[in-house]
Amino acid sequence: MTASKQLLEWVQAPIHWNLLQAALELKVFDFLLQPVKAAYVAEQTRLNPDKLGLLLDALASLGILHKRQQRYQLAEQYQSLLSSDDPRSMVANLLHMAKVKQMSVDRIKQLLAATPSAADDASYQSRMNFRDANFWQTASDNLLAFHRSTSNDYVLGLIEPWADKLAQRAVGDWQMLDLGAGSETLASSLLERYPALTLTLQDLPQSIDCIRQRLDQLPADSQTRLNLLAGDFNKIELGGLYDLVWSSMALYFANDLDGLLMRLKQQLKPGGVMLSLHEGLYNERTQPSYHVLGRFAPAMNGNDLSFDQCEIHAALQRVGFQAVATEKLATPFGPMELTTAQRAL
Ligand SMILES: C[S@@+](CC[C@H](N)C(=O)[O-])C[C@H]1O[C@@H](n2cnc3c(N)ncnc32)[C@H](O)[C@@H]1O
């Protein structure tokens, strides 16, 4: 692509999301599961039929909708993801991520100014402070939707080889910790799949409260093998002993990464395995572009938390884990590093 074409494409890039956000917030997609005319959707949503027709045409140009004989319908691959009530709905996830990841030009200029307005900064940053438990409480529906729609099947595939080995051992029950779990989705899948597993799901108290409210949706047998561990992982006892510790996109919040990993090692049985899934920035924190761009707004708001390439790998080695290995993965949520490490036998 020529440089001028690239620049013109970037001018158009925000339009994709703006159209989607408008349609999601107005719940337009909920009326597009069958082929219908714009006038019908306008009636249901009380919107202007002519302008709505323009929005639907633009969404059809992106392939989100099909238009045939003046009737619009959500393309099949988007139907569950963009419907408000579907179990695999991404709506809460998308709207939350847009708030977290996007930043207006005015806001960027304001933050770049030599003397930003202190009052505005304080209010904005308190809402976007990733170290504040209230932020994670408001992010709870987002994480649930992200896990159900996008990450869970993928993450299960990463854990399965280790879980299968543990399940095949003759010694019976085995224990796993999910540190900074975010939702019960992964726990629920693992508990159903592995009847000898007891899983401890750890998160901040507010997040655990949100999770607890949904637990009656799990089969009774899974509920009896699930422990909820509420608290800041920097401060609380982490339970144990575990055969497997899983932590994904949560180790940013360690006040002392080596100290936390050392404590996790002590909570593993001899030969037990720690699995970490986090990004690894490289080229002087300019790549991968997916994370550098997606985390630009959080970083500008004071949350520049991303790990560097092999940072967790090095920390695991420093605190005495063995067989530390890192694999680079292209995941549905961007390039990530899966790091595995073992407590000595
Ligand atoms: C980005 S989410 C990751 C959730 C999930 N592990 C995943 O991979 O999608 C970060 C999680 O860490 C939790 N968290 C943040 N600070 C924490 C702390 N100090 N102690 C325990 N959990 C924490 C948040 O509540 C949230 O659930």
Side-chain angles (χ1 to χ4, degrees), residues 53 158 316:
L158 303 180
L316 287 163

Side-chain angles (χ1 to χ4, degrees), residues 130 136 143 146-147 151 178-182 202-204 207 231-234 248-250 252-253:
F130 290 7
W136 292 109
L143 282 176
F146 169 64
H147 293 159
S151 70
D178 184 355
L179 188 81
Q202 192 282 330
D203 212 305
L204 293 166
S207 306
D232 176 347
F233 54 44
N234 294 295
S248 161
M249 294 186 273
Y252 320 103
F253 308 108

